[in-house]
Amino acid sequence: MTQGRSANLGPGRILGVLGHPVRHSASPAMHNAAFVAQGMYAMYGAFDVPPEQLAQAVAGIRTLGLLGVNVTIPHKEAVMAYLDEVAPTARQVGAVNTIVNRGGRLIGYNTDGWGFLISLEERGVRVAGRHVVLLGAGGAARAVALHLAMAGAAKITIINRTRARAEFLLADLARAHQPVVAAVADVGSQEAREALSEAGLVVNCTPVGMAPDVDHTPLDDVSLLPPGAVVYDTIYRPLETRLLREARERGLLTINGLSMLVHQGACSWEYWFGRRGPVEVMRAAALAALEAAS
Ligand code: NAP
């Protein structure tokens, strides 16, 4: 495991990611590079935790005095039951991706939606007033949808394989701190085609198109999209999915999931260290780790 500086690594200097599997996570490379760049005494590891051992792993954060952790698939929802406190936004999203250990008290946050919004901002994409079509209604989609509502999206249309899950998110959006006009459309329906034809932003929050299934796409016909649409894929393996390639070939602005990954990590630093992580160092390290793994 690489680390910032090797001397005096003690309690309160160790962080990591809890997931299963977690071997291919880019987070250790990303955070450790940031510690090195900032001359910090800290190290970040990858902890492979099977679901049946999640409770013990969380207890271990307290026992071993870890400063905090990130949480990834499949533990983001289940972990909430073992925390002392869950921040309101994470509670609304229904998932935690960042835990801070404050003197043995474990507090859960979610930085996925925040990272998503910053990644749009950095590409000059304004959310306010846009009609957004969201593909998927799982954990990532929930974080993205609630933050799109906070950022003033004009409308969100949720297209998901399982309609009931989309309707569950729709109901939560109606109850959100900043409610937004929202609708559900079935995959391939006339409503879905109409929403896509007037979309200002399409966000894929399904794993469709992720390696190794790179020939798949969550959107069969990108020609439905209007010329000004932005196409965002939260997937970062591969960096250009079939969806993004087809959108680029149509001349649309495309954004992959790497920036969201980097910014959610940089935002986790706000909770652990009281300041944002160094984004460009983290981006370069994450990119190198992804390229090395491919
Ligand atoms: P999740 O909670 O399991 O939700 C998965 C969603 O995708 C559900 O809506 C599911 O539909 C849909 N789906 C799954 N397989 C499908 C298929 N074969 N065809 C159509 N729809 C399918 O997962 P998640 O945590 O939201 O993650 C989703 C994606 O977001 C992943 O690709 C992940 O890499 C990405 N992500 C990226 C970042 C980042 O930082 N870039 C952060 C978080 C997540 P049903 O409801 O019908 O099951």
Side-chain angles (χ1 to χ4, degrees):
M1 195 157 34
T2 43
Q3 60 199 43
R5 289 165 69 179
S6 57
N8 297 332
L9 256 180
R13 297 289 176 188
I14 299 172
L15 302 99
V17 55
L18 309 185
H20 184 69
V22 82
R23 197 157 46 97
H24 293 302
S25 171
S27 292
M30 183 167 87
H31 289 286
N32 286 317
F35 298 150
V36 171
Q38 304 230 328
M40 293 165 66
Y41 291 108
M43 97 178 158
Y44 186 110
F47 302 110
D48 195 322
V49 178
E52 63 277 14
Q53 285 173 13
L54 182 60
Q56 293 98 307
V58 175
I61 299 172
R62 290 191 193 90
T63 313
L64 304 175
L66 270 59
L67 191 154
V69 294
N70 285 128
V71 183
T72 189
I73 291 173
H75 302 314
K76 286 185 184 185
E77 286 122 48
V79 79
M80 294 169 72
Y82 306 114
L83 303 179
D84 299 301
E85 191 181 325
V86 175
T89 309
R91 173 120 4 241
Q92 219 180 0
V93 170
V96 158
N97 79 332
T98 304
I99 298 174
V100 187
N101 180 3
R102 296 215 191 291
R105 196 173 159 71
L106 302 184
I107 308 168
Y109 299 91
N110 192 309
T111 65
D112 281 336
W114 191 7
F116 168 77
L117 284 186
I118 297 172
S119 70
L120 281 176
E121 206 178 281
E122 108 186 328
R123 296 293 296 275
V125 178
R126 276 176 54 82
V127 167
R130 280 194 198 244
H131 181 174
V132 184
V133 174
L134 199 56
L135 308 176
R142 293 181 59 81
V144 163
L146 287 156
H147 284 76
L148 285 168
M150 287 180 216
K155 182 176 178 184
I156 301 175
T157 301
I158 310 159
I159 302 176
N160 191 48
R161 182 177 60 179
T162 308
R163 188 180 174 97
R165 205 167 180 192
E167 283 174 346
F168 187 65
L169 173 54
L170 185 74
D172 280 349
L173 282 171
R175 282 194 296 265
H177 185 58
Q178 276 166 276
V180 60
V181 176
V184 166
D186 288 320
V187 177
S189 66
Q190 180 60 24
E191 290 82 4
R193 280 194 292 280
E194 277 168 18
L196 289 163
S197 70
E198 59 182 40
L201 172 64
V202 177
V203 188
N204 176 36
C205 290
T206 78
V208 180
M210 186 157 66
D213 296 321
V214 295
D215 293 335
H216 295 181
T217 174
L219 190 60
D220 285 332
D221 189 4
V222 288
S223 70
L224 287 171
L225 302 177
V230 176
V231 179
Y232 193 121
D233 202 329
T234 60
I235 292 172
Y236 47 82
R237 269 194 197 96
L239 289 169
E240 188 177 63
T241 55
R242 178 177 157 197
L243 170 67
L244 293 190
R245 187 182 70 246
E246 291 178 352
R248 175 177 56 78
E249 286 168 357
R250 241 183 89 70
L252 305 179
L253 176 64
T254 62
I255 306 177
N256 65 35
L258 178 66
S259 291
M260 179 173 169
L261 174 75
V262 170
H263 285 293
Q264 61 78 30
C267 290
S268 294
W269 276 49
E270 295 266 6
Y271 298 115
W272 298 328
F273 305 115
R275 64 180 192 280
R276 196 80 55 94
V279 168
E280 292 316 322
V281 172
M282 294 170 81
R283 193 193 314 270
L287 189 56
L290 291 173
E291 281 170 354
S294 66

